[in-house]
């Protein structure tokens, strides 16, 4: 169709998310898709039966804007049991359309024109567009290679009177790095005496390895009182396509959040909310998730131990970073494309998670896959000499 040139893009430098680009390339070249983060196995039959049960019972109309009360109560209980803090389901918990909607609504409702928002890089790709659409300015601090620890001194240097928010993510996508208790003490120190709000993206809260405990911001009262914490059932129950997430925050923050959520998402899928509320009674699945994915990480890494890839530490998430600098000096975007087309394994080039596209010759692989999928991928990756 022909059209007049009447548009000025609000996001002139933003293209299609890399997750869609690489997944489409994987489909086109019939490659194993270890790019976008999603499992290639099904969720539990019980969870599917529960959705079916609630659909048949007639729970098929709009849910309340904040989400159904049994699910908010179940989240309140889970949070209290895990992190020893009570969030009021009435006023401090909202069910969202995945974590993505929660992140967007949080940033839209809290960041104002001219505000600065601190982002640690490499960063998950939905933060920056939301900040820009809200009229805010992202201010970047790199995580320290190769362990991707937070350099708190560097972060502190970026704090100004305009700093409205710090976005944190642990376990961290794409690096698999996690917060330590010491990190959170340092965070507490640098924000004391400021009005900075913390957006803590904790979608991988249950996917943590090697005996580490997730350091939720919720565990730290002085931080929690100024934080909005976001999680996702997509990750926890292997249902990324169901688009179910939630956020928890003190009432004053949640009040602002809900003003935006009611007009962007309005309400979230009703029968799925009831099903997940009931399913949360069974704690085993989420409490064993770390162990479950650790086996997959180890299976993938053991398979690659004699390869020329350098395996970076992955302490959480379902991602593994591989440094390919001993194999090629191509740009990571070029190498990832070649790996997909010529070797049949799709991954994500990590440079896309940096605003200035720093290329450290590292690719991200999602190991949330069946054993046979991982086996096939390893076989293909071992061909790279
Ligand atoms: N944050 C991070 C760090 C993620 O990796 C993802 C995607 N898995 C999201 C947010 C979005 O989660 P959801 O699919 O629930 O929108
Ligand atoms: N969060 C997933 C990842 O990091 C993908 C989500 C998406 O496709 N936007 O791969």
């Amino acid at each position: 169709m022909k059209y007049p040139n009447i548009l000025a893009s609000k996001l002139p430098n933003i293209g299609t998310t890399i997750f869609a680009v690489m997944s489409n390339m994987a489909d086109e070249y019939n490659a194993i898709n270890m790019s976008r983060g999603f499992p290639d196995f099904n969720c539990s039959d019980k969870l599917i039966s529960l959705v079916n049960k609630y659909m048949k019972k007639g729970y098929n109309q709009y849910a309340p804007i904040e989400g159904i009360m049994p699910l908010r109560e179940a989240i309140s209980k889970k949070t209290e049991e895990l992190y020893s803090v009570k969030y009021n389901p009435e006023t401090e918990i909202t069910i969202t359309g995945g974590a993505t909607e929660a992140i967007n609504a949080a940033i839209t409702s809290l960041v104002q024109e001219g505000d600065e928002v601190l982002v640690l890089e490499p960063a998950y790709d939905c933060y920056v567009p939301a900040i820009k659409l809200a009229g805010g300015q992202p201010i970047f601090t790199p995580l320290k290679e190769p362990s991707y620890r937070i350099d708190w001194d560097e972060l502190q240097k970026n704090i100004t009177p305009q700093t409205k928010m710090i976005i944190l993510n642990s376990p961290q996508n794409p690096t698999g790095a996690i917060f330590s208790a010491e990190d959170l003490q340092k965070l507490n120190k640098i924000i004391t005496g400021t009005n900075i709000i913390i957006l803590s993206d904790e979608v991988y809260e249950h996917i943590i390895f090697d005996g580490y405990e997730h350091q939720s911001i919720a565990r730290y009262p002085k931080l929690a009182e100024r934080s909005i914490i976001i999680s996702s059932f997509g990750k926890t129950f292997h249902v990324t396509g169901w688009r179910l997430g939630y956020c928890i925050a003190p009432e004053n923050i949640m009040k602002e959040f809900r003003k935006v959520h009611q007009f962007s998402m309005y309400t979230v899928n009703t029968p799925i909310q009831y099903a997940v509320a009931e399913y949360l009674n069974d704690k085993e699945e989420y409490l064993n998730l770390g162990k479950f994915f650790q086996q997959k990480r180890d299976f993938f890494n053991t398979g690659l131990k004699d390869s020329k890839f350098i395996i970076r530490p992955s302490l959480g998430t379902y991602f593994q970073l591989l440094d390919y600098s001993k194999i090629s000096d191509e740009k990571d975007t070029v190498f990832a494309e070649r790996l997909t087309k010529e070797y049949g394994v799709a991954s994500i080039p990590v440079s896309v998670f940096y605003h200035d596209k720093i290329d450290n010759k590292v690719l991200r692989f999602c190991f949330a896959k069946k054993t046979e999928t991982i086996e096939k991928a390893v076989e293909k990756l071992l061909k790279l000499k």
Side-chain angles (χ1 to χ4, degrees), residues 17 19-20 35-38 100 124-125 173 204 235 319 348 353 364:
T17 166
F19 306 117
S35 62
R36 186 182 241 168
F38 68 93
T100 307
Y124 184 60
D125 72 345
N173 182 5
Y204 301 102
K235 303 291 163 190
F319 303 115
I348 301 282
F353 299 113
R364 189 198 80 173

Side-chain angles (χ1 to χ4, degrees), residues 8-267:
S9 174
K10 291 186 80 174
L11 295 171
N13 300 318
I14 304 275
T16 305
T17 166
I18 189 71
F19 306 117
V21 172
M22 292 309 298
S23 280
N24 293 343
M25 200 185 292
D27 290 346
E28 192 184 341
Y29 290 89
N30 207 14
I32 297 174
N33 190 357
M34 298 181 92
S35 62
R36 186 182 241 168
F38 68 93
D40 72 344
F41 44 85
N42 211 353
C43 64
S44 92
D45 284 342
K46 183 172 166 201
L47 186 51
I48 291 175
S49 303
L50 285 171
V51 176
N52 193 254
K53 174 175 110 179
Y54 284 106
M55 283 182 164
K56 285 197 167 146
K57 271 183 145 184
Y59 289 80
N60 296 307
Q61 309 310 327
Y62 291 132
I65 287 170
E66 317 76 51
I68 62 154
M69 192 43 110
L71 182 53
R72 286 186 276 148
E73 280 168 349
I75 291 166
S76 176
K77 188 161 163 263
K78 168 167 104 73
T79 310
E80 189 172 8
E81 284 168 4
L82 290 172
Y83 308 131
S84 312
V85 52
K86 175 95 184 141
Y87 281 84
N88 182 346
E90 195 73 59
T91 53
E92 298 181 322
I93 298 178
T94 300
I95 311 304
T96 61
T100 307
E101 191 256 328
I103 291 164
N104 263 277
I107 292 172
T108 306
S109 56
L110 301 169
V111 173
Q112 305 201 16
E113 196 73 36
D115 284 345
E116 293 177 357
V117 179
L118 304 192
V119 176
L120 291 154
E121 286 190 320
Y124 184 60
D125 72 345
C126 81
Y127 307 144
V128 169
I131 296 165
K132 289 189 173 163
L133 287 173
Q137 196 189 344
I139 306 289
F140 301 100
T141 310
L143 292 166
K144 261 181 158 162
E145 275 242 65
S147 62
Y148 298 103
R149 306 288 325 157
I150 300 173
D151 186 332
W152 291 104
D153 293 333
E154 283 303 308
L155 190 82
Q156 183 155 27
K157 281 187 206 153
N158 285 331
I159 294 181
T160 73
Q162 280 69 50
T163 309
K164 171 58 74 65
M165 179 183 272
I166 300 181
I167 301 183
L168 297 170
N169 171 215
S170 177
Q172 212 259 2
N173 182 5
T175 63
I178 57 172
F179 292 153
S180 64
E182 199 193 342
D183 282 322
L184 295 188
Q185 280 150 15
K186 288 189 178 152
L187 172 64
N188 195 25
K189 214 161 150 199
I190 70 171
I191 57 161
T192 301
T194 73
N195 290 329
I196 296 172
I197 298 168
I198 299 161
L199 187 161
S200 185
D201 178 348
E202 302 187 12
V203 301
Y204 301 102
E205 62 181 318
H206 302 298
I207 312 181
I208 187 157
F209 312 136
D210 303 330
Y212 286 101
E213 273 202 333
H214 174 53
Q215 294 295 325
S216 176
I217 294 283
R219 288 178 192 268
Y220 298 82
K222 280 278 161 221
L223 296 175
E225 68 186 24
R226 53 166 79 216
S227 297
I228 180 156
I229 300 172
I230 291 168
S231 193
S232 172
F233 292 112
K235 303 291 163 190
T236 303
F237 293 139
H238 318 307
V239 288
T240 59
W242 286 8
R243 316 304 305 128
L244 190 69
Y246 63 89
C247 61
I248 57 179
E251 187 174 345
N252 60 338
I253 294 180
M254 191 53 83
K255 209 169 140 201
E256 295 307 309
F257 176 90
R258 286 179 177 175
K259 289 181 191 171
V260 173
H261 166 76
Q262 69 180 335
F263 294 126
S264 56
M265 188 68 204
Y266 186 31
T267 67

